[in-house]
Amino acid sequence: MTAKILIVEDESKIADLLRLWLEQASYTCVTATSGLEALQMFYYARPSLVILDIALPQMDGWKVCERIREMSDVPIMMLTAKTDEADKVRGLGMGADDYVTKPFSFPELVARVQALLRRASRPATGELNGKVQIYQQADLWLDTTNHQATLHGKELKLTRTEFKLLAFLVQHAGQLLSHNQILEAVWGPTYRDELDSLRMYIRNLRRKLEEDHGDHHYIETEHGIGYRFVKTS
Ligand code: CA
């Protein structure tokens, strides 16, 4: 069975091309040209992924994203002409999984759709809830019950907060996480503006991770936006 994709785009030229490219990659497509129609199609068609334009008639893409998130964790890819980084952060904060700026390359978009669907089909790795969970990204092991991290078979000495930060990054390996998302998850909602302390923690974490193996970079910086833990599959 092929995955069904909902395309929400009021510019018919772009919508048609998207459909063409995605169908060629053997996905099934349904389309909507307004925010309200998008929600109707979402209920009706139950897509596996949503490509969502931001500037839409009736209800904009942000609102649609919010509504969809109230009922589903389906992967959402935002599509927009805006290049403002604040918008990118907003999109990720509001529950979008990826963000593509127009004009975009269709093959690249298809590749990103494939990546999002692959990520969504994997079982959730769970939250930091004290159960025995060991995450492995290459040579890095985390035991969230005992708060222990091992790198190349050696114990990694981390503070409690460093551990929490690392676990959150590893759980979302491959995903770009905004500063706010990280601050909220690791420190709590009242720490949203503590960008300097986040930077400091990231710096310390990198130093500890990359001490003996400086050639391998675990954490990528997306300037003005956030961080991504490199996925090693
Ligand atoms: Ca539009």
Side-chain angles (χ1 to χ4, degrees):
M1 211 184 83
T2 65
K4 195 188 289 169
I5 296 173
L6 170 59
I7 301 167
V8 187
E9 169 63 84
D10 57 326
E11 287 169 71
S12 56
K13 247 189 210 164
I14 296 176
D16 289 348
L17 276 170
L18 272 173
R19 176 190 273 271
L20 203 72
W21 276 89
L22 289 165
E23 284 179 351
Q24 223 159 52
S26 64
Y27 293 114
T28 308
C29 297
V30 287
T31 51
T33 54
S34 74
L36 284 179
E37 196 191 345
L39 289 177
Q40 284 161 2
M41 282 307 275
F42 185 80
Y43 293 123
Y44 169 74
R46 298 279 149 199
S48 315
L49 182 140
V50 181
I51 296 177
L52 184 56
D53 187 28
I54 290 172
L56 290 168
Q58 290 170 331
M59 180 191 289
D60 71 12
W62 302 123
K63 194 77 200 158
V64 176
C65 179
E66 215 181 297
R67 291 283 181 85
I68 290 176
R69 272 294 165 265
E70 283 165 9
M71 54 188 158
S72 162
D73 55 3
V74 67
I76 299 177
M77 180 186 283
M78 301 299 277
L79 213 60
T80 181
K82 293 173 187 164
T83 51
D84 192 342
E85 283 187 338
D87 274 347
K88 196 162 180 173
V89 174
R90 190 174 168 202
L92 294 170
M94 287 180 82
D97 299 277
D98 203 355
Y99 192 103
V100 174
T101 306
K102 294 174 188 171
F104 52 84
S105 115
F106 284 93
E108 195 206 323
L109 185 135
V110 171
R112 288 168 82 150
V113 162
Q114 284 164 341
L116 275 182
L117 284 168
R118 260 200 311 276
R119 199 195 293 159
S121 67
R122 278 197 310 270
T125 47
E127 297 301 322
L128 294 169
N129 54 11
K131 284 183 201 158
V132 179
Q133 286 170 332
I134 297 171
Y135 301 99
Q136 185 194 17
Q137 288 292 329
D139 42 19
L140 176 66
W141 289 78
L142 297 189
D143 173 346
T144 58
T145 300
N146 300 307
H147 279 237
Q148 277 176 344
T150 322
L151 182 63
H152 304 290
K154 275 191 346 203
E155 201 202 333
L156 198 59
K157 296 232 181 296
L158 301 175
T159 66
R160 211 174 164 80
T161 303
E162 283 169 352
F163 183 92
K164 218 175 152 187
L165 173 61
L166 178 61
F168 184 67
L169 293 172
V170 169
Q171 278 176 343
H172 298 89
Q175 256 176 282
L176 173 60
L177 300 167
S178 71
H179 298 133
N180 276 354
Q181 266 179 302
I182 300 171
L183 284 165
E184 267 198 63
V186 178
W187 281 268
T190 52
Y191 290 81
R192 277 164 172 262
D193 299 314
E194 303 283 323
L195 192 50
D196 284 342
S197 52
L198 175 59
R199 287 207 179 101
M200 189 192 74
Y201 271 96
I202 292 280
R203 206 159 43 234
N204 287 341
L205 206 50
R206 275 192 175 129
R207 187 172 46 77
K208 291 183 179 183
L209 284 169
E210 293 163 14
E211 213 165 35
D212 304 324
H213 304 268
D215 53 330
H216 187 90
H217 294 290
Y218 293 88
I219 303 166
E220 285 176 357
T221 300
E222 200 80 42
H223 287 288
I225 300 165
Y227 299 99
R228 183 192 290 108
F229 195 87
V230 177
K231 222 164 90 95
T232 46
S233 66

